[in-house]
Amino acid sequence: MTTIAIIGAGPGLGAAAARRFGREGFSAALISRTQDNVDRLAAELGADGVRALGYAADVQDRERVVEALKSAADDLGPIEVLQYSPAPRREFLRPVLNTGVDDFAAAVEFSLHGSVTAVQQVLPGMSELGKGTILLVNGGSAATPNGNVAGTSVAFAGESAYGAMLHDALAPRVHVGQLIVPGTIGGGDPMFAPDALAERLWTMHVQRGNFRVTVGPA
């Protein structure tokens, strides 16, 4: 049995993705900042028949991210899928004129350095498996800079560029894909419902197509 590791796991998209992949036999490693939250989510998923465990790690603490992913692989099985989808923090969502050097540095640490840390940790295991998928989930500012959310516009762009380069460098054995969600997850629009987005992530994993998929009208 292999594992999907979800960094930024919560009751919305993270839980939906764990259930979707769990239906296909994956175990789920739930990684987020608060141990109580991921333990509660793991118990809920367990009641639904998904083998899941929670691990506390802040994506801005690289050592903890590495430790969490190591523990997940030991406890649940090799990580075949990495989903990097931590929700941006409020300080990254300020207008450009109110965003300073430290704010940009923190946003880049969160989105780019965190994703690089996670990817470098799971790649050797994917190489041993002979397969793997890395899924990056970002908002619309990853594709179109938005001066009202300057931190994510800069940081998501860096994460997107990194993912695109990985897509080219790792294909065909490891697929790297980016899901752009230009709306509020779980905000009432069925297109952005967690289950619908989780289905998109599953399709990206199995179809292994282009790097970027944007949620929008067909």
Side-chain angles (χ1 to χ4, degrees):
M1 182 179 291
T2 56
T3 301
I4 176 171
I6 302 170
I7 297 183
L13 179 58
R19 289 190 179 94
R20 181 65 186 90
F21 280 78
R23 291 204 303 270
E24 307 296 336
F26 281 79
S27 298
L30 311 171
I31 301 172
S32 192
R33 286 186 292 174
T34 306
Q35 188 68 51
D36 286 347
N37 290 345
V38 288
D39 285 346
R40 187 180 307 112
L41 182 56
E44 293 171 1
L45 290 166
D48 293 336
V50 179
R51 184 177 181 228
L53 290 174
Y55 304 87
D58 187 319
V59 296
Q60 290 176 284
D61 184 339
R62 300 180 206 173
E63 290 185 2
R64 281 296 303 134
V65 170
V66 168
E67 290 170 5
L69 290 168
K70 282 182 178 178
S71 296
D74 289 342
D75 296 340
L76 294 170
I79 295 170
E80 181 181 346
V81 179
L82 171 69
Q83 176 180 318
Y84 191 84
S85 54
R89 298 179 185 168
R90 290 183 179 179
E91 58 265 34
F92 307 155
L93 305 176
R94 296 171 180 159
V96 63
L97 296 180
N98 296 333
T99 304
V101 171
D102 290 342
D103 299 317
F104 280 120
V108 170
E109 178 74 23
F110 186 91
S111 293
L112 179 57
H113 298 175
S115 61
V116 173
T117 299
V119 167
Q120 291 184 340
Q121 177 59 33
V122 301
L123 273 182
M126 291 180 179
S127 295
E128 289 183 14
L129 282 174
K131 59 183 178 179
T133 301
I134 296 165
L135 299 168
L136 309 175
V137 182
N138 300 108
S141 60
T144 304
N146 181 345
N148 292 317
V149 289
T152 58
S153 292
V154 169
F156 282 175
E159 183 183 336
S160 180
Y162 174 62
M165 291 185 288
L166 283 178
H167 176 268
D168 294 340
L170 297 174
R173 298 182 78 185
V174 175
H175 174 59
V176 182
Q178 180 186 37
L179 181 66
I180 301 289
V181 185
T184 302
I185 297 176
D189 187 331
M191 190 178 298
F192 304 127
D195 286 345
L197 298 175
E199 189 63 40
R200 291 231 181 195
L201 291 170
W202 174 255
T203 299
M204 291 169 69
H205 167 62
V206 295
Q207 291 187 350
R208 306 172 69 83
N210 295 331
F211 167 63
R212 177 175 290 174
V213 174
T214 301
V215 179

